[in-house]
Amino acid sequence: MTTTTSALPQPAGTPALSPVLAMPPAAPADAAAYFAARLAFHTDVADVHASLAAGATDFVVVDSRSTPSWDQGHIPGAVHLPTAQIPRLAAEFLDPAVPVVVHCWGPGCDGATRAALALARLGYRVKEMIGGIEYWIREGYAVDTWEGPRQLPADPLTAPVGSDDCGC
């Protein structure tokens, strides 16, 4: 496999750029605007867990998965609102004044993105929880199931073992 090291020709005697810098980084002001905007659209499982554990009531978690998926395990206190039912049921279960944090299975699933879009189109302020229920469980947080609460040990590849703080 051949890897190109630069998108632009380099003057003779100039070291080739690595693939990392073949596209130069954005200007600091542009980067700051991008990352601030990204944080307005996303949150992560550690922040959601810490907020819920501290008793936060300034947002509601919405699980957009199917009923069998919900029964298999869901975040305690979450609202179950499958994506296809959002247009019909959102007003019944959600207060438009309270921001929504929506999630689905995990990073390989666009279900939360579709749910967030549906909620935003209905006028809700919404963030997507990156990692979904997969990372909630992998970070060792408890879920409620149809059989009762369940908690697995944290996966050391995704979360510091014995800590609620990712060090981010």
Side-chain angles (χ1 to χ4, degrees):
M1 179 173 147
T2 306
T3 303
T4 339
T5 58
S6 177
L8 303 171
Q10 297 295 308
T14 303
L17 292 176
S18 70
V20 171
L21 295 179
M23 174 62 69
D30 293 338
Y34 168 81
F35 291 118
R38 189 173 187 279
L39 290 171
F41 295 105
H42 297 102
T43 189
D44 63 33
V45 297
D47 287 344
V48 172
H49 179 267
S51 296
L52 294 175
T57 58
D58 56 346
F59 68 94
V60 63
V61 176
V62 168
D63 186 325
S64 66
R65 298 173 303 140
S66 67
T67 299
S69 299
W70 167 267
D71 290 344
Q72 184 177 321
H74 57 271
I75 295 171
V79 173
H80 183 221
L81 195 54
T83 302
Q85 297 177 21
I86 287 173
R88 186 170 54 83
L89 297 178
E92 184 179 334
F93 291 98
L94 302 174
D95 178 347
V98 178
V100 176
V101 172
V102 66
H103 77 85
C104 196
W105 275 109
C109 173
D110 275 341
T113 304
R114 286 196 257 333
L117 175 60
L119 288 163
R121 285 180 170 162
L122 293 172
Y124 292 89
R125 293 178 299 146
V126 62
K127 286 188 170 198
E128 183 177 353
M129 185 179 79
I130 56 175
I133 195 72
E134 175 188 347
Y135 276 74
W136 182 272
I137 293 168
R138 289 181 75 182
E139 291 193 20
Y141 303 137
V143 294
D144 286 340
T145 74
W146 68 275
E147 296 176 305
R150 180 182 63 152
Q151 186 168 7
L152 299 174
D155 178 343
L157 297 177
T158 62
V161 177
S163 172
D164 282 343
D165 179 16
C166 72
C168 300

